[in-house]
Each structure stands twice: as C-alpha cells, then as structure tokens.
Amino acid sequence: MAFALRAATRRLLTPKTQAFARPCLASSTRAFAQPGYKEPDPKSEEPLLDSWVCPEALYEYALSSEDMSADVDEQFVAEFGKRNATWRERVLREDPDLFSECAAGQSPKYLWIGCSDSRVAAENMIDGRPGELFVHRNVANMVVNTDFNLRAVLKYAVNYLQVKHIIVCGHYDCGGVKAAFTNKDHHDPLESWLTNVRDVYRYHQEELEAIINDEERHKRFVELNIIEQCLNLFKSADVQRRRAETGRRPDEFECAYPRIHGMVFEPSDGILRRLPIDFRQYLRRYKRVYQMYDDSDFLSSHDGAE
C-alpha cells in the first residue's frame, strides 16, 4: 500500500515539487512501517482472478475439519453449518421447489416492521416461507422519519415491491420500551433513539399514568407505541402517494394500498394480537397538517383505510 501511495504521488508531482514532498512521502512510509511489516513486492502478488469462486459451504467446512475442539471460531462455524444443513434438508423435503422459486426473485406482499428482540422473528410468528416477508427491524419497532435505513426499506417496499400490507409488530416485555421508562442515560446512539419512544409516553402521559399496575402500564405503553408508529407510516409521503394512486383505480384495486396493521406479540404464549387503529379519526383531526394530496385524490385512498 505504501509503495502504491508513493508511486501515485510521484506521478502527480513535478521534479521541483518532488523535492519538497520527499519528507512527506517518507513520513507516509513510516506510518506503515510497524514492527514486522514488510512492504509487498508487486511482482510477487498473485494475479487477480477473472471469474467468481463460490465460497465453501459452512456444513462442508464443518465436515472437512477434523478437530475443532480448541478453536472457538471453528466451533461456531461448525454449529451454524450443521443447523443450516438441517434447515435446508427440511425445506427440500417439505417444498422441493422453494429454492428454485427464490432464485427467480422476490415478490412479497407484506412489509414487516418489528423489534430487534431475538424472540420475535417475523417468519417464526406467522410460519412464513422465504420470500413471503420484506422485513425491517430495530429497537422498539420504531418508524422515525430521520431514519434513512427505515425510509429506504419503506420506499423500496412500497414503490418497487408494491407490497399490499405493512405490519408494525411490537411485543410485550420490550427492552426498548422498558429502557425508555427508566430515568437513566443509556448513552448515544441508544439514548437518542429512546427519545423517540419517550415522545410516545409524552403524547399519552395522562392515560398511562392513570394505570396503577406497573406491568399493565408497560403493556399499554407498548401498544400505544405500535399505534403511533402505524400513524407515522400512514402520514409518510411514500405511503400517502401509493394509497392515492391505488385509491383512484378501482378497476385494478379493490381498495387503497398499502394497508397498515398494528399487532402485538406476547412472548409468554406465542399469540399475535390485533390493535385496532381509527385512521379516519386521526385523519379528520390532523388533515390540514399531514395530508399531501387534494381531497379528490386522497378521499378514495382514505376510504380504503382500515
């Protein structure tokens, strides 16, 4: 790397400026000259391959390694390799054409926005197949308009995949919601993220503080957070635009899409529960603030609200 840096720099410099720059080049070389460092010989470097080489399968690597008892990394690879092989064999037994279908591309009907908690993987909760769900997960299943990761997922799902349903799924015993309850600095970036959850508490403080039991208050906070994120989705430009487009075409769509659904999962019993959301009431209240389309365009979309 140091050799390439010096060579490239010298090609850009005139003879007069090379003398001035020589101390800088020497300094840049010293930066790479750590103990034991040897500058590579360009002639000894292996030539670049002109084609792609498939990496070794985890389970094949596990089978080819005789003794992995002393190496933590190889133990990990072996475990995941065996689990991948078990899953693949089961899928091929139950649905022999699934991987061929996946190779042809994806066309999911659903965007799932959920929590990063390890207990609430979307495919597990609905017994989903590969290719069925487009998934975004973060701490406390938030829909934050400054989160470019979420915004990119949403735009791709709505505009290109044209999903018909968006699910915001939270869960009871949510660590992110519990952390937002506590009067503690969790340090950035987590603390900044939790500010968005605390805002939900502020919006509904009177209702939440009227609940006497701490566990019940937590559960209601989880539910209100899900509802607020559904409303954040509903007022987003990508969702409004798509709903207006589909709502104006009753010959192609039976209602305005995408539909937005709030759900909450109970880890202790494995049940998904529905959270009714009155989008009509919300739109009537904040129509002048969030509606981006003329009444004639958006009313048909509004008629398709859940």
Side-chain angles (χ1 to χ4, degrees), residues 19-143:
F20 175 79
R22 194 170 293 115
C24 299
L25 293 172
S27 175
S28 69
T29 304
R30 285 195 297 273
F32 292 101
Q34 302 298 325
Y37 173 81
K38 290 183 67 176
E39 187 172 289
D41 181 359
K43 296 180 181 179
S44 67
E45 293 182 0
E46 295 183 5
L48 296 175
L49 299 176
D50 62 358
S51 61
W52 170 75
V53 177
C54 182
E56 186 177 13
L58 290 186
Y59 67 86
E60 291 177 348
Y61 176 78
L63 293 173
S64 65
S65 301
E66 296 180 359
D67 181 20
M68 294 176 290
S69 59
D71 192 303
V72 173
D73 292 331
E74 291 191 346
Q75 288 176 355
F76 167 79
V77 170
E79 178 191 353
F80 268 50
K82 291 174 183 176
R83 293 171 68 170
N84 173 245
T86 301
W87 169 78
R88 180 174 178 273
E89 290 169 3
R90 184 176 68 249
V91 168
L92 288 172
R93 187 169 56 251
E94 297 173 354
D95 190 351
D97 298 325
L98 178 60
F99 295 125
S100 298
E101 294 172 4
C102 288
Q106 64 168 334
S107 56
K109 295 180 181 178
Y110 318 111
L111 168 60
W112 182 285
I113 299 173
C115 182
S116 299
D117 191 295
S118 60
R119 300 167 292 177
V120 293
E123 291 83 357
N124 294 348
M125 286 187 277
I126 65 164
D127 194 23
R129 300 168 71 251
E132 192 172 4
L133 293 171
F134 198 61
V135 178
H136 175 81
R137 296 172 69 181
N138 59 44
V139 173
N141 43 270
M142 301 299 291
V143 177

